Amino acid sequence: MDDERAYALCGSTAVREWFAFGSATVIIGEAGTLIIVEAGDALGRSCVWNADELRLVGPAPTPVRKRLMDEPWERGVDERKLPVHLAVRNPEGLVYLGTGSVIQASTVLRPGSGEHILTDCALRLASPLSRLDLDRVRPCLPPADLPNLEWLGQVNDDRVRALEQFITGWYPAAAETAELPPVQEPPVDLPEGLGRFYRLSQHRPRCLGVQNRILPPSKLQTDPRGEMLVFGEENQGGFLWSLMWTLDGPEADPTVWFREYDEPPIAEREPLSGFLIQFSLFEASMGAEYVALCDEVTEEQLDQLTEGLLPVPLRPFCAAFPTRFFAAPGLVLHVSGEGGDAGFSVWAGATHRTALASLGDTPVNWIRFDG
């Protein structure tokens, strides 16, 4: 599509407004909005993210925020919303992607005022891109390096070492350069594995969890009966993880107890040393920038998805929702469910989208695929 034809989608020249920020240009008119991003692929910039999604990264000017977030509702539900057209500029010219709609947006309050600033916005394409078109508008360079699997060979030999190797390999070392608060000493004696985990989190706080979390040392507490030391929780408080609490000092590798609401506690299948590895794998995949997920996966499809991956040699994680793990360089995939008519649920997280590439050939209905 040539530029003038694309601009005309917004309406008359006389009433168009132009806004450029970062790698994006937004044109607002009385007939619609046109968002143009530069071809490429990088975190922190506006770009096509996957075959279904374009991401707009701000801060965006106020008229852009109002057009994308406020005006459709201000005009009322009975009035037709103005279309949002999406396009990408590559060396060959302008590639029109069709229309899209806002599915998620974040704002921050401008200091000293009541105005909100649009910081990022995700738009879903009305028609997904083909693989060929995706490669045209989102050229992807391979990463310089992917985290290796050295940790996997230590899982059944030195689990504390395996935990350290995984966390330091998965989370960027650059996090260690940030100014950090002093190390907080836990209020009680802890098993070696949990103590090491807290020392690792000092420089890589994301390892404490993004979906569920390990409580920071200052938040450790006993249960109302004083029998269990609560050290982890579900993100909405639906369940807890605890260790038996004793004045005689901690066990070297104690049982981890899962407790949901007021139900009796259930022992996790792995002791603390294995549990912390599993927790870290789960949270790494859930918090990854690059994700692939699907459900209702058959046994045959699961075999295809995991064919090039290595199983993590631990018993299933999470007593109420048994979960297995598979790994490859820069990739963690977890599987839950019992198969049968309901199938399995699969979630893969990666440090770079190229690590997901091998999964894309499996014929499943992806809910999201960032490869």
Side-chain angles (χ1 to χ4, degrees), residues 198-371:
Y198 281 134
R199 288 191 288 276
L200 290 167
S201 72
Q202 175 67 13
H203 295 290
R204 294 168 170 85
R206 280 181 64 83
C207 77
L208 288 173
V210 293
Q211 174 71 11
N212 307 315
R213 67 169 186 156
I214 300 295
L215 298 174
S218 61
K219 300 293 184 181
L220 292 175
Q221 56 185 311
T222 56
D223 69 356
R225 295 184 178 182
E227 298 174 345
M228 311 285 283
L229 179 68
V230 179
F231 73 96
E233 64 180 7
E234 192 256 351
N235 66 88
Q236 297 182 25
F239 58 77
L240 303 171
W241 283 297
S242 305
L243 304 174
M244 289 296 296
W245 172 243
T246 170
L247 296 177
D248 297 331
E251 295 181 46
D253 196 13
T255 298
V256 175
W257 294 91
F258 172 97
R259 185 164 190 169
E260 189 173 14
Y261 304 109
D262 294 327
E263 298 295 321
I266 306 171
E268 288 284 350
R269 299 190 188 184
E270 290 290 341
L272 181 65
S273 60
F275 169 87
L276 289 174
I277 294 173
Q278 294 173 317
F279 175 89
S280 298
L281 293 171
F282 186 84
E283 294 301 318
S285 60
M286 293 297 293
E289 297 285 357
Y290 306 99
V291 167
L293 62 139
C294 53
D295 56 17
E296 299 181 354
V297 175
T298 67
E299 188 85 45
E300 181 181 359
Q301 291 171 326
L302 182 61
D303 289 343
Q304 294 178 57
L305 283 169
T306 59
E307 183 178 5
L309 311 180
L310 294 176
V312 178
L314 294 169
R315 288 165 291 188
F317 168 68
C318 196
F321 317 100
T323 300
R324 295 174 287 154
F325 296 93
F326 297 82
L331 172 73
V332 173
L333 179 148
H334 67 258
V335 181
S336 58
E338 299 179 356
D341 293 339
F344 299 94
S345 293
V346 174
W347 183 297
T351 57
H352 192 273
R353 69 171 78 252
T354 55
L356 297 171
S358 65
L359 305 180
D361 295 332
T362 305
V364 298
N365 294 321
W366 293 106
I367 299 170
R368 173 179 165 184
F369 187 77
D370 292 341

Side-chain angles (χ1 to χ4, degrees), residues 22-330:
S23 57
T25 300
V26 178
I27 305 166
I28 295 175
E30 87 279 6
T33 305
L34 173 64
I35 298 175
I36 303 172
V37 298
E38 299 293 332
D41 179 32
L43 294 172
R45 71 187 294 269
S46 299
C47 64
V48 173
W49 187 253
N50 57 38
D52 300 290
E53 184 179 321
L54 181 146
R55 292 187 178 180
L56 191 63
V57 179
T62 297
V64 174
R65 174 185 61 78
K66 288 185 174 181
R67 173 56 67 94
L68 295 179
M69 297 185 63
D70 299 342
E71 291 187 11
W73 289 271
E74 289 177 355
R75 286 195 297 273
V77 296
D78 296 328
E79 189 172 345
R80 182 178 64 89
K81 297 178 182 179
L82 295 178
V84 178
H85 301 277
L86 307 174
V88 176
R89 190 175 298 283
N90 67 13
E92 302 168 4
L94 207 59
V95 181
Y96 182 63
L97 308 180
T99 59
S101 56
V102 175
I103 56 173
Q104 184 177 346
S106 299
T107 63
V108 296
L109 192 64
R110 186 188 298 276
S113 76
E115 181 185 6
H116 284 82
I117 302 169
L118 180 64
T119 56
D120 57 85
C121 178
L123 299 104
R124 183 171 298 280
L125 279 66
S127 299
L129 300 175
S130 67
R131 184 75 240 185
L132 180 62
D133 286 337
L134 182 59
D135 290 340
R136 289 177 63 201
V137 299
R138 196 204 62 189
C140 178
L141 295 176
D145 196 12
L146 289 173
N148 62 43
L149 295 181
E150 183 180 355
W151 62 272
L152 192 57
Q154 300 287 334
V155 166
N156 284 328
D157 294 322
D158 186 346
R159 290 183 174 180
V160 173
R161 178 63 177 156
L163 177 69
E164 180 177 5
Q165 289 176 334
F166 174 76
I167 289 177
T168 56
W170 187 272
Y171 297 100
E176 297 190 27
T177 64
E179 184 175 344
L180 297 165
V183 176
Q184 293 180 321
E185 291 297 328
V188 294
D189 289 335
L190 299 174
E192 179 189 1
L194 189 55
R196 179 72 66 88
F197 183 85
Y198 281 134
R199 288 191 288 276
L200 290 167
S201 72
Q202 175 67 13
H203 295 290
R204 294 168 170 85
R206 280 181 64 83
C207 77
L208 288 173
V210 293
Q211 174 71 11
N212 307 315
R213 67 169 186 156
I214 300 295
L215 298 174
S218 61
K219 300 293 184 181
L220 292 175
Q221 56 185 311
T222 56
D223 69 356
R225 295 184 178 182
E227 298 174 345
M228 311 285 283
L229 179 68
V230 179
F231 73 96
E233 64 180 7
E234 192 256 351
N235 66 88
Q236 297 182 25
F239 58 77
L240 303 171
W241 283 297
S242 305
L243 304 174
M244 289 296 296
W245 172 243
T246 170
L247 296 177
D248 297 331
E251 295 181 46
D253 196 13
T255 298
V256 175
W257 294 91
F258 172 97
R259 185 164 190 169
E260 189 173 14
Y261 304 109
D262 294 327
E263 298 295 321
I266 306 171
E268 288 284 350
R269 299 190 188 184
E270 290 290 341
L272 181 65
S273 60
F275 169 87
L276 289 174
I277 294 173
Q278 294 173 317
F279 175 89
S280 298
L281 293 171
F282 186 84
E283 294 301 318
S285 60
M286 293 297 293
E289 297 285 357
Y290 306 99
V291 167
L293 62 139
C294 53
D295 56 17
E296 299 181 354
V297 175
T298 67
E299 188 85 45
E300 181 181 359
Q301 291 171 326
L302 182 61
D303 289 343
Q304 294 178 57
L305 283 169
T306 59
E307 183 178 5
L309 311 180
L310 294 176
V312 178
L314 294 169
R315 288 165 291 188
F317 168 68
C318 196
F321 317 100
T323 300
R324 295 174 287 154
F325 296 93
F326 297 82

